[in-house]
Amino acid sequence: MSMIRDLRAAVRPSLRKESGAYSSYDTTRDPRAASAVVDCAVYRDGRRVSCDETLTPHEAMLQVRRDGGFAWIGLHEPTEAEFAGIAAEFGLHPLAVEDAVHAHQRPKLERYDDTLFTVFKTIHYVEHAELTATSEVVETGEVMCFTGRDFFITVRHGGHGSLRALRRRLQDEPELLAKGPSAVLHTIADHVVDGYLAVADAMQVDIDDVENEVFAATGKGVSRGVDAGRIYQLKREVLEFKRAVQPLLRPMQLLSERPMRLVDPDIQKYFRDVADHLARVQEQVLGFDELLNSILQANLAQAAVAQNEDMRKITSWAAIIAVPTAVCGVYGMNFDHMPELHWRYGYPMVLGLIATVCYTIHRTLKRNGWL
């Protein structure tokens, strides 16, 4: 027990300082700055019963404990001090709190007492007119979810992936929202995975464009490929996509297969659909990675073929030039007794011989594909 207390003290020093201060949610943020709490509401029987925009998480939980329902609190990049009071109010585990505040976590599902902690990587496709060696194709963010019996907390990091539209859409389906916090967790998971599908389709277009450029023949029938930096940059972006998708598959399978007290049985069935869509995206991403490897190898091979073609042409012209060089070198020697040296027609005959031999070599090399 002492080891556990020491661990909690190490990862949660701010909460120890805030003991008893459950209504204090921000002690360091500039009062003129926007609050990290994006939205805070109480839902009962699938409908939002609190319309006060200034409702605090503490007041929301008082309503829930008095009248039932659950509280849904959304935060965007909270500071440690901001999140300390909320963590104490809802009894969140210090390890999960640390992950939620500092972000940069891999997708995962963890259970702490009566709370599920889920991390999703959000992916946003960055529009670009032309793919270059420095183009940013995907932008990542994170959504951390705390699912309890009577509360649901989202902590979002990054400039995209707002959940406002999702909250409004879910509020239009009271029969689904009536299932409790697990319904919100499923909706967010489905929303994130649908984003993966859209990004995968957009990246497929980029990969197809690069592939077409690599295998497009020039006017002479020899493709010199494309800038390898473009392919490598696209491969790096696919790797970033892969890091978001692959680790999430196991958590979605657990939510769809293993009974959990915090997940409504009716909602658990819907996680199977999310897991299926995620498996499809994973297959696409793995296919992208393998295809880009093949494209990169083909591009390098084409560059080598083009270089070999250039060397063949250089060698061919060197062979042609060698004929007049040799003949002129022989007749440039200072000897009196040389064949046809004083013959009147010797000079035009040698020029004709050089032209004939060079023409014959040129025709032969061209017929063999060297020129």
Side-chain angles (χ1 to χ4, degrees):
M1 293 297 293
S2 61
M3 291 179 62
I4 296 177
R5 286 194 296 269
D6 292 342
L7 179 60
R8 293 174 67 91
V11 299
R12 198 181 184 184
S14 59
L15 296 185
R16 292 173 61 88
K17 296 178 182 178
E18 298 287 340
S19 58
Y22 294 123
S23 60
S24 176
Y25 295 101
D26 187 6
T27 59
T28 60
R29 184 182 290 269
D30 188 337
R32 294 171 296 180
S35 171
V37 179
V38 178
D39 200 349
C40 178
V42 175
Y43 297 87
R44 192 176 304 117
D45 297 327
R47 301 188 181 279
R48 181 167 180 159
V49 297
S50 59
C51 299
D52 186 3
E53 294 183 356
T54 62
L55 184 71
T56 66
H58 178 64
E59 294 170 342
M61 282 309 297
L62 289 179
Q63 290 188 26
V64 170
R65 290 163 184 161
R66 183 181 65 247
D67 304 321
F70 73 95
W72 181 358
I73 303 164
L75 301 99
H76 180 245
E77 298 182 355
T79 63
E80 291 185 14
E82 265 183 320
F83 204 50
I86 296 177
E89 177 74 46
F90 294 93
L92 305 180
H93 195 278
L95 294 177
V97 171
E98 183 183 30
D99 290 347
V101 171
H102 297 291
H104 303 296
Q105 304 297 315
R106 71 192 304 269
K108 60 183 177 179
L109 171 66
E110 295 177 341
R111 179 173 179 175
Y112 297 100
D113 299 327
D114 289 332
T115 303
L116 286 179
F117 178 61
T118 316
V119 178
F120 298 97
K121 282 277 191 182
T122 57
I123 299 291
H124 172 67
Y125 180 78
V126 181
E127 296 290 343
H128 47 271
E130 182 181 359
L131 181 66
T132 66
T134 58
S135 295
E136 185 178 14
V137 181
V138 295
E139 181 183 359
T140 61
E142 292 178 55
V143 176
M144 284 86 162
C145 302
F146 294 88
T147 308
R149 292 184 178 277
D150 52 7
F151 67 86
F152 188 83
I153 302 173
T154 58
V155 181
R156 185 169 60 87
H157 291 267
H160 68 277
S162 175
L163 301 177
R164 288 185 181 274
L166 183 141
R167 184 188 287 255
R168 289 194 295 267
R169 178 165 59 86
L170 195 55
Q171 288 174 170
D172 293 335
E173 302 181 29
E175 66 282 356
L176 180 60
L177 197 55
K179 298 295 183 179
S182 61
V184 183
L185 178 62
H186 162 263
T187 304
I188 291 178
D190 188 54
H191 173 72
V192 170
V193 174
D194 284 346
Y196 292 167
L197 290 170
V199 171
D201 292 339
M203 292 191 73
Q204 180 70 65
V205 176
D206 285 335
I207 294 174
D208 289 343
D209 290 342
V210 171
E211 184 180 19
N212 291 335
E213 290 185 36
V214 168
F215 292 101
T218 63
K220 295 184 178 181
V222 178
S223 175
R224 296 183 177 271
V226 300
D227 180 13
R230 297 173 57 192
I231 304 175
Y232 186 71
Q233 178 65 14
L234 191 56
K235 184 173 174 60
R236 289 186 61 183
E237 297 297 300
V238 168
L239 180 61
E240 188 73 17
F241 195 6
K242 183 179 178 181
R243 289 172 181 166
V245 173
Q246 196 163 8
L248 187 60
L249 185 59
R250 182 56 180 166
M252 290 300 100
Q253 291 174 342
L254 290 176
L255 287 171
S256 64
E257 298 171 357
R258 182 178 299 178
M260 298 183 182
R261 290 181 297 173
L262 296 173
V263 179
D264 188 283
D266 293 335
I267 296 298
Q268 188 174 27
K269 302 174 184 177
Y270 290 94
F271 278 108
R272 298 174 188 169
D273 185 61
V274 177
D276 289 341
H277 288 173
L278 189 62
R280 171 187 158 192
V281 176
Q282 184 188 31
E283 291 175 358
Q284 283 185 281
V285 173
L286 293 177
F288 291 163
D289 194 31
E290 294 178 1
L291 181 58
L292 285 172
N293 284 334
S294 300
I295 293 175
L296 184 59
Q297 293 298 323
N299 189 65
L300 295 176
Q302 287 181 343
V305 169
Q307 291 177 353
N308 184 57
E309 185 72 15
D310 293 338
M311 290 302 299
R312 289 170 62 181
K313 291 181 179 179
I314 293 173
T315 303
S316 299
W317 284 112
I320 294 174
I321 295 174
V323 174
T325 302
V327 174
C328 294
V330 169
Y331 278 91
M333 292 186 293
N334 297 319
F335 291 99
D336 290 333
H337 304 286
M338 295 183 68
E340 315 300 339
L341 185 62
H342 301 288
W343 184 38
R344 174 180 294 183
Y345 301 104
Y347 180 70
M349 184 201 71
V350 170
L351 292 181
L353 177 64
I354 291 174
T356 302
V357 174
C358 289
Y359 177 75
T360 303
I361 294 175
H362 183 274
R363 287 293 303 272
T364 302
L365 292 175
K366 192 169 184 178
R367 189 183 307 115
N368 293 332
W370 281 57
L371 287 174

